[in-house]
Amino acid sequence: MAHYNIFRSGKYRFISEDEYREKRVLQRFFNSKVLNQFREQGGGRGKVLPVEFFFYTDDEDKAINLAIEISKLHYEISGIDRDRSDNKWQVKGRAPIMKMENKTLTKWSKQMVDLGYENDCDFDGWNILL
């Protein structure tokens, strides 16, 4: 859905401020669910692992700008690809190892939501490889 701000000459945003705020608030809940699944599959509490992350946006330039900003954090970018089915651009990469606990992951994922919003990209989440 397109988001237009009538006070900014019709400037388009891929992710609205309301969506951004909601996503930021929900990170602790999302992280708890993923960590519970991780533990059910044998992952130990407090284990330290690298984290893969995903963002989506509607424009290649936005995806590239986000990748540049992520690279400044010394994270690895593994791809900037366009999904032909919906024409969205995906930025995927890997963050350095971090502790698999809700507090650490929530702080990090909120940072990713903020970075995505600053670049008009949607932080779609993260996963870990067992």
Side-chain angles (χ1 to χ4, degrees):
M1 168 168 39
H3 302 283
Y4 296 93
N5 183 336
I6 61 171
F7 301 107
R8 299 181 100 195
S9 304
K11 286 194 175 187
Y12 167 78
R13 285 206 48 97
F14 179 70
I15 180 169
S16 72
E17 186 173 347
D18 289 341
E19 290 169 321
Y20 158 72
R21 288 180 183 184
E22 179 180 11
K23 186 157 269 199
R24 200 167 194 288
V25 167
L26 291 174
Q27 288 308 302
R28 186 171 188 83
F29 171 74
F30 292 150
N31 294 336
S32 291
K33 287 184 72 166
V34 173
L35 286 171
N36 285 337
Q37 290 174 349
F38 170 65
R39 290 186 189 108
E40 287 172 4
Q41 295 176 8
R45 185 177 297 274
K47 194 169 185 176
V48 178
L49 296 169
V51 176
E52 294 182 324
F53 55 82
F54 309 91
F55 290 86
Y56 284 95
T57 192
D58 63 336
D59 182 81
E60 182 179 19
D61 289 338
K62 293 175 186 178
I64 291 169
N65 288 337
L66 175 66
I68 291 168
E69 293 303 313
I70 291 171
S71 295
K72 290 177 183 177
L73 299 172
H74 305 289
Y75 292 4
E76 173 188 334
I77 301 298
S78 57
I80 302 172
D81 304 305
R82 186 170 148 228
D83 184 340
R84 303 261 184 239
S85 67
D86 63 6
N87 287 324
K88 290 182 184 173
W89 288 85
Q90 180 186 58
V91 177
K92 52 189 170 184
R94 182 179 291 181
I97 59 173
M98 65 183 77
K99 204 174 219 183
M100 295 295 110
E101 61 185 19
N102 204 342
K103 182 177 178 181
T104 301
L105 288 166
T106 298
K107 180 179 176 184
W108 173 80
S109 60
K110 284 182 177 181
Q111 179 187 14
M112 295 295 98
V113 170
D114 292 347
L115 188 59
Y117 183 71
E118 290 166 11
N119 290 277
D120 200 19
C121 299
D122 183 24
F123 177 62
D124 191 48
W126 59 271
N127 70 24
I128 48 178
L129 298 174
L130 297 178

